[in-house]
Amino acid sequence: MKEQSKIEQEYVTTQLDAINEALSNGLFVHVRKMLHSIPPADVALLLESTPVRNRSLLWKLIDTDYHGDVLEELSEDVRNGIMREMVPEKLADALEDMDTDDLAEMLHGLPDRVVQDVLESMDSMDRARAEQALSYGEGTAGFIMNTDTITLRPEVSVEVILRYLRLKQELPEDTDMLYVTNRYDKLIGTVSLTSLITAAPEISVEEIMEEEPEVIKVDMDETEVAKLFERHNWLSAPVVDANNQLVGRITIDDVVDIIREEAEHSMMSMAGLEDEEDTFAPVLKSTQRRSIWLGVNLFTALMAAMVSDLFEATLSQLAVLAILNTIVPSMGGVAGNQTLTLVIRGMALGHVSASNSRWLISKELAIGFLNGVIWAVLIASVVALWKQDYMLGLVIAFAMLVNMIAAGLSGVILPIVMKKLKIDPALAGSVILTTITDVVGIFAFLGTATWLLL
Amino acid sequence: MKEQSKIEQEYVTTQLDAINEALSNGLFVHVRKMLHSIPPADVALLLESTPVRNRSLLWKLIDTDYHGDVLEELSEDVRNGIMREMVPEKLADALEDMDTDDLAEMLHGLPDRVVQDVLESMDSMDRARAEQALSYGEGTAGFIMNTDTITLRPEVSVEVILRYLRLKQELPEDTDMLYVTNRYDKLIGTVSLTSLITAAPEISVEEIMEEEPEVIKVDMDETEVAKLFERHNWLSAPVVDANNQLVGRITIDDVVDIIREEAEHSMMSMAGLEDEEDTFAPVLKSTQRRSIWLGVNLFTALMAAMVSDLFEATLSQLAVLAILNTIVPSMGGVAGNQTLTLVIRGMALGHVSASNSRWLISKELAIGFLNGVIWAVLIASVVALWKQDYMLGLVIAFAMLVNMIAAGLSGVILPIVMKKLKIDPALAGSVILTTITDVVGIFAFLGTATWLLL
């Protein structure tokens, strides 16, 4: 089981090593040949695993016929970097004959000026398709759909359909479903390939079609599209406009990308990173991108310091408080972030709603209290033994209890409130939460200490 | 765009509210009726959004014919809770006729004793299938595959195949591909439904089949399976044993689950949570699960306190150091976690390997240095102005620079080393990293202060 995975990993690593070595030895003809012997997805992986400096060199060695296929497989950040360096005519060539959904995604990442240049270099049919795709906003069903649907009329027999398909020779990629429309182009049913194959030749489409199929509106949010696919285990789904006219179809391969992005989004946001951040981006770009988050953190760290500053007199009398001052905020931060992460995931999965949030709040309050008691007793014992001061143990125990309750409550209330205010809790939740647990923790600890120990 | 998403969300919330209200009013007949009017996936969502106490009540109101379908849609933690409360005979009934992959997943989560009871209650055919599925380990291709493949012989004509399929009436769910085997049951090719439809009736399977198709070995790790599916945009893939005999097929719907789980795994692990943690689990269970992580954190917080303790004399002379002592560790923690998150994701996507890790280390070193300079200048200015002490500003600036470099280096080196040692960096990386940035930060700040300010 582990063996296979190692082989796969080694295979990619070996390729990478071989190509890198050939590159640095200037064996460009050799590299060019190697790049043609592997599938586009592997070339994309190679580009993504290569520092930016070598990336453009590598790109130039890839045959231009191959460019479109590789671009489709690249992650957004890396792709945009490469496309910006291409001349518009070459880019237009690479984008030729691409599926509408991929075309929209490619062009979306480029500056408007470049998009104009590329559109002008395209032939009129491609340009029309590209403009159409771009007209739906990013993140909508229209943006991720393909327009290559096969439509049938209800009265035609299965035999005729099969003959027609045989004449067509090839069906669009990932076709599992044909669509039945009436003469106003309105979608009235779907016929799966399997039912077409198993049906008697003489019966009509109408008799085997699924009526009133579930459809996706062209302006539906892609997150909702992904949820519907997951919920119904679809391979593809028809997309209709406001008049119920069929405008395209969405296939599972594009949905898989959305599912991965959505799931990664929370993790990356919680660390203050952008989803599409390129691991091998240049130093300056990376530093700049990460600095916002560090700036916010510096601000909150200064806030915590100012709270401590209020107790300067106490701290100067009892240095031991300075030593222990970080423990309570740290525990509160971890406990609060656990709750926060769980609630953010629950929201993403659609589990958390108005009807159960009160229950969830009381649950986390109870956990916070229980956690508080457990860790208060433990830290009190450790401190009392270490510093031989029972009163000090009592003070830190009280602060721990208060902060754990605050952590549990803010971990569940913060994301719920933020969602209502339409702020992404994955992005800002963690930093606000840590500020709360820092401030409450320091106040509770140094405040109680000032009151009881001086 | 937002409208549709709101409607979807409201629809689920409204259902939930209506059912909860009916439940608390004791309108069980009404609830039972409501539960039957919605698809199994929605019933599953309802159960997952319901606190544990009401969950078993809700479960009892679901028609037993429906149990299997709902169980398939539930997340692991919630499902295990429900299955453990069912009597083995009922559970065996619910699992009847389930796909092999689903069967394996269901039984896997149960204690051995219960599995034995359930197996004994099954009819012999179901039992054989279940035992077969369980014999492959969890997390392997064999565990997630279905055994319902349709196999063809190479010499048969398309017409005969189509006639045979028409007789069968129904194809297994999500069939997009038929498999061609020789008389030793070895897989020699695949035929897609689309090519079967578009082929001329008189030609043989051999002429339209794809030879030497890419296959999945039955013991391949599911993570690798998911990577292959993503890389090749497959809808399904054949699974073969060591002798290249066809044993089953894996379909995209199961792979989607793996992709989601993998992506969520890192986020949940980094907060010290289990992937499958149920948002609505009882308080005691949740407290217990989260306590390990809090315990580890308490230990590291105490370590940081002990480092501060070394400088007690300094702290007692200069209380201002106590106030500023948390800033440098906090910034180091954030910067280090950014790098760590990025590297962990890069590893999951297969971008980070031996051949580029040296480049990555020097990149993060450079970012650490640059970050260090930027934030050192900023914090020095703030502290110098706030506390009117230029020397103090210099001290904290130096500590910041040192800690930012340490953060960048450990953020990239830690996960690489941990992966070599076969430790999951998502699980333990963050806590080790924070310990390093805490210790280095405090040492650098209080150490330099002791040296220069006293």
Side-chain angles (χ1 to χ4, degrees):
Chain A
M1 157 181 167
K2 289 286 158 207
E3 210 41 42
Q4 184 72 40
S5 140
K6 240 176 73 194
I7 290 169
E8 171 80 13
Q9 183 62 45
E10 271 170 17
Y11 159 75
V12 174
T13 310
T14 316
Q15 277 187 330
L16 196 63
D17 284 340
I19 291 182
N20 278 336
E21 211 191 304
L23 259 189
S24 54
N25 290 335
L27 300 170
F28 297 146
V29 183
H30 189 54
V31 173
R32 193 187 285 269
K33 230 165 67 190
M34 282 200 279
L35 288 173
H36 281 199
S37 63
I38 56 178
D42 287 357
V43 178
L45 191 64
L46 261 172
L47 283 165
E48 286 169 351
S49 311
T50 303
V52 172
R53 197 162 14 102
N54 287 341
R55 222 177 251 164
S56 34
L57 181 58
L58 208 56
W59 181 252
K60 290 200 185 85
L61 295 173
I62 300 169
D63 197 284
T64 46
D65 289 349
Y66 228 43
H67 279 174
D69 293 335
V70 176
L71 281 179
E72 278 185 39
E73 301 289 341
L74 284 173
S75 69
E76 197 180 320
D77 214 24
V78 177
R79 186 176 62 221
N80 288 345
I82 288 176
M83 289 201 300
R84 273 165 211 207
E85 289 190 7
M86 290 172 80
V87 283
E89 292 76 29
K90 289 244 170 154
L91 188 51
D93 283 348
L95 300 182
E96 212 172 31
D97 299 325
M98 204 170 263
D99 287 343
T100 359
D101 59 335
D102 295 320
L103 202 55
E105 211 192 325
M106 304 277 145
L107 290 178
H108 170 76
L110 294 174
D112 287 345
R113 193 184 40 73
V114 181
V115 173
Q116 283 313 319
D117 285 350
V118 173
L119 286 176
E120 277 164 29
S121 309
M122 282 177 164
D123 66 37
S124 61
M125 215 185 93
D126 271 347
R127 182 161 59 230
R129 282 173 54 232
E131 283 171 344
Q132 172 71 43
L134 281 172
S135 73
Y136 305 109
E138 200 209 355
T140 64
F143 199 80
I144 54 171
M145 76 183 181
N146 286 325
T147 50
D148 54 358
T149 53
I150 297 182
T151 53
L152 314 172
R153 287 277 178 268
E155 61 278 4
V156 186
S157 74
V158 168
E159 197 174 7
V160 172
I161 302 288
L162 286 176
R163 214 180 310 136
Y164 161 73
L165 294 177
R166 235 166 250 151
L167 280 175
K168 252 184 104 71
Q169 293 275 356
E170 215 176 332
L171 304 189
E173 220 182 331
D174 293 342
T175 296
D176 68 318
M177 200 76 94
L178 308 180
Y179 301 108
V180 189
T181 54
N182 65 13
R183 58 191 154 130
Y184 308 109
D185 280 336
K186 296 206 178 184
L187 183 75
I188 54 172
T190 59
V191 173
S192 69
L193 284 194
T194 53
S195 62
L196 203 61
I197 285 180
T198 53
E202 63 279 4
I203 68 172
S204 71
V205 162
E206 205 161 11
E207 288 171 78
I208 56 165
M209 77 179 184
E210 202 192 305
E211 283 175 79
E212 291 179 32
E214 290 214 56
V215 295
I216 288 173
K217 296 268 182 219
V218 74
D219 59 354
M220 186 186 254
D221 192 281
E222 61 175 15
T223 315
E224 286 311 310
V225 173
K227 271 191 197 159
L228 284 175
F229 266 79
E230 275 202 276
R231 195 182 315 165
H232 299 283
N233 287 331
W234 286 338
L235 295 182
S236 74
V239 181
V240 298
D241 64 12
N243 301 318
N244 202 31
Q245 288 183 326
L246 184 72
V247 289
R249 66 185 179 112
I250 293 177
T251 49
I252 182 80
D253 56 322
D254 298 310
V255 174
V256 167
D257 293 342
I258 297 168
I259 291 173
R260 176 178 281 291
E261 278 165 27
E262 296 269 328
E264 270 177 6
H265 167 77
S266 304
M267 165 178 158
M268 297 293 273
S269 304
M270 287 183 88
L273 298 164
E274 284 178 48
D275 305 16
E276 279 292 335
E277 173 121 12
D278 170 7
T279 320
F280 296 91
V283 171
L284 278 178
K285 196 172 165 196
S286 295
T287 307
Q288 192 199 337
R289 280 197 171 174
R290 298 187 203 170
S291 62
I292 301 165
W293 203 241
L294 286 163
V296 172
N297 186 64
L298 182 65
F299 181 75
T300 66
L302 279 170
M303 268 183 63
M306 280 173 197
V307 176
S308 293
D309 197 46
L310 297 176
F311 300 95
E312 190 173 1
T314 312
L315 284 167
S316 65
Q317 284 179 59
L318 281 170
V320 69
L321 295 179
I323 293 161
L324 302 175
N325 196 18
T326 51
I327 296 174
V328 172
S330 159
M331 292 294 280
V334 169
N337 266 308
Q338 286 185 331
T339 306
L340 183 74
T341 307
L342 211 59
V343 175
I344 287 175
R345 196 198 51 156
M347 283 176 163
L349 296 176
H351 292 169
V352 178
S353 63
S355 69
N356 55 22
S357 54
R358 194 182 298 169
W359 187 90
L360 204 58
I361 292 173
S362 37
K363 178 195 161 178
E364 292 297 335
L365 180 65
I367 293 180
F369 181 77
L370 213 62
N371 265 337
V373 171
I374 295 170
W375 303 108
V377 169
L378 208 69
I379 191 66
S381 321
V382 171
V383 166
L385 287 175
W386 181 21
K387 294 289 169 191
Q388 292 293 320
D389 184 339
Y390 292 94
M391 208 54 198
L392 186 63
L394 210 66
V395 167
I396 202 168
F398 174 74
M400 183 73 88
L401 181 63
V402 169
N403 206 26
M404 284 306 214
I405 293 173
L409 278 182
S410 18
V412 60
I413 293 175
L414 255 182
I416 292 176
V417 170
M418 291 176 83
K419 208 185 163 193
K420 279 217 176 122
L421 300 176
K422 303 204 184 305
I423 305 168
D424 180 6
L427 187 59
S430 181
V431 72
I432 300 182
L433 179 117
T434 313
T435 311
I436 295 175
T437 48
D438 278 0
V439 170
V440 172
I442 295 173
F443 248 119
F445 181 55
L446 295 184
T448 324
T450 307
W451 179 42
L452 289 180
L453 299 182
L454 291 191
Chain B
M1 154 183 167
K2 289 286 157 205
E3 210 40 42
Q4 185 71 41
S5 139
K6 239 176 72 194
I7 289 168
E8 171 82 12
Q9 183 61 44
E10 271 172 15
Y11 160 75
V12 173
T13 311
T14 314
Q15 278 185 329
L16 197 64
D17 283 341
I19 291 182
N20 277 335
E21 210 192 303
L23 260 187
S24 56
N25 290 335
L27 301 171
F28 297 146
V29 182
H30 189 54
V31 173
R32 192 187 286 270
K33 230 164 67 189
M34 283 199 279
L35 288 173
H36 281 201
S37 62
I38 56 179
D42 287 356
V43 177
L45 191 64
L46 260 173
L47 283 165
E48 286 169 352
S49 310
T50 304
V52 172
R53 196 161 17 100
N54 287 340
R55 223 177 249 165
S56 34
L57 181 58
L58 209 54
W59 181 251
K60 290 198 187 90
L61 295 174
I62 301 169
D63 197 284
T64 46
D65 290 350
Y66 227 44
H67 278 174
D69 293 334
V70 176
L71 280 179
E72 278 185 40
E73 301 288 342
L74 283 173
S75 69
E76 199 180 317
D77 214 25
V78 177
R79 187 176 62 221
N80 288 345
I82 288 176
M83 290 200 300
R84 274 165 210 207
E85 287 190 10
M86 290 172 80
V87 284
E89 292 75 29
K90 288 246 169 149
L91 188 51
D93 283 348
L95 301 181
E96 213 172 32
D97 300 325
M98 206 171 261
D99 287 342
T100 359
D101 58 336
D102 296 320
L103 202 55
E105 210 193 323
M106 305 276 145
L107 290 177
H108 169 77
L110 294 175
D112 288 344
R113 191 185 42 74
V114 180
V115 173
Q116 283 313 318
D117 285 349
V118 173
L119 286 176
E120 277 163 29
S121 310
M122 281 177 164
D123 67 39
S124 60
M125 213 184 91
D126 272 347
R127 182 160 60 230
R129 283 173 54 232
E131 283 171 344
Q132 172 71 39
L134 282 172
S135 74
Y136 305 107
E138 200 210 354
T140 65
F143 199 80
I144 54 170
M145 76 183 180
N146 286 324
T147 50
D148 54 357
T149 53
I150 297 182
T151 55
L152 315 171
R153 287 278 177 267
E155 62 278 4
V156 185
S157 74
V158 167
E159 197 175 5
V160 172
I161 303 288
L162 285 175
R163 215 179 310 134
Y164 161 73
L165 293 177
R166 235 166 251 150
L167 281 175
K168 252 184 104 70
Q169 294 275 355
E170 216 177 330
L171 303 188
E173 220 181 332
D174 292 341
T175 297
D176 68 318
M177 201 75 95
L178 308 180
Y179 302 108
V180 188
T181 55
N182 65 14
R183 59 192 153 130
Y184 308 109
D185 279 338
K186 298 207 177 184
L187 184 75
I188 55 173
T190 58
V191 174
S192 69
L193 283 193
T194 52
S195 62
L196 202 62
I197 285 180
T198 53
E202 62 279 5
I203 69 172
S204 70
V205 163
E206 206 160 11
E207 288 170 79
I208 57 165
M209 76 179 186
E210 202 191 305
E211 284 174 80
E212 291 179 33
E214 290 213 56
V215 294
I216 288 173
K217 297 268 183 220
V218 74
D219 58 354
M220 186 186 255
D221 191 281
E222 60 175 17
T223 313
E224 286 312 311
V225 174
K227 271 190 195 160
L228 284 175
F229 265 79
E230 275 202 276
R231 193 178 321 159
H232 299 282
N233 287 332
W234 286 337
L235 295 181
S236 74
V239 182
V240 298
D241 64 14
N243 301 318
N244 202 29
Q245 287 183 326
L246 183 72
V247 289
R249 66 184 179 113
I250 293 177
T251 48
I252 181 79
D253 56 321
D254 298 310
V255 175
V256 167
D257 293 342
I258 296 169
I259 291 173
R260 178 178 281 290
E261 278 165 28
E262 296 268 328
E264 270 179 6
H265 167 77
S266 304
M267 166 180 161
M268 297 293 274
S269 303
M270 287 183 86
L273 297 164
E274 284 179 46
D275 306 15
E276 279 291 336
E277 173 122 12
D278 170 7
T279 321
F280 296 91
V283 171
L284 278 178
K285 196 171 164 197
S286 295
T287 307
Q288 192 198 338
R289 281 196 172 175
R290 298 189 204 169
S291 62
I292 301 166
W293 203 241
L294 286 164
V296 172
N297 187 66
L298 182 64
F299 182 76
T300 66
L302 279 170
M303 270 183 62
M306 280 171 196
V307 177
S308 292
D309 196 45
L310 297 176
F311 300 96
E312 189 172 2
T314 311
L315 285 167
S316 64
Q317 285 178 60
L318 281 170
V320 69
L321 296 179
I323 291 160
L324 302 174
N325 196 18
T326 50
I327 297 173
V328 172
S330 157
M331 291 294 280
V334 169
N337 266 310
Q338 286 185 331
T339 306
L340 182 75
T341 307
L342 212 58
V343 175
I344 287 175
R345 198 201 47 158
M347 284 175 160
L349 296 176
H351 293 169
V352 178
S353 64
S355 69
N356 54 23
S357 54
R358 193 182 300 169
W359 188 90
L360 205 57
I361 292 172
S362 36
K363 177 195 162 179
E364 292 297 335
L365 181 64
I367 293 180
F369 181 77
L370 214 60
N371 265 337
V373 171
I374 295 170
W375 301 109
V377 170
L378 208 68
I379 190 68
S381 320
V382 171
V383 166
L385 286 175
W386 181 21
K387 293 290 169 191
Q388 292 293 320
D389 184 340
Y390 292 94
M391 208 56 195
L392 186 63
L394 210 66
V395 167
I396 200 166
F398 174 74
M400 184 72 87
L401 181 63
V402 170
N403 206 27
M404 283 308 214
I405 294 172
L409 279 183
S410 17
V412 60
I413 294 174
L414 256 181
I416 293 175
V417 171
M418 290 177 85
K419 207 187 163 189
K420 277 214 177 127
L421 300 175
K422 302 201 185 303
I423 305 169
D424 179 7
L427 187 59
S430 180
V431 72
I432 301 182
L433 179 115
T434 313
T435 312
I436 294 176
T437 49
D438 277 359
V439 170
V440 172
I442 294 173
F443 247 119
F445 181 57
L446 296 184
T448 324
T450 308
W451 178 43
L452 289 180
L453 300 182
L454 291 191

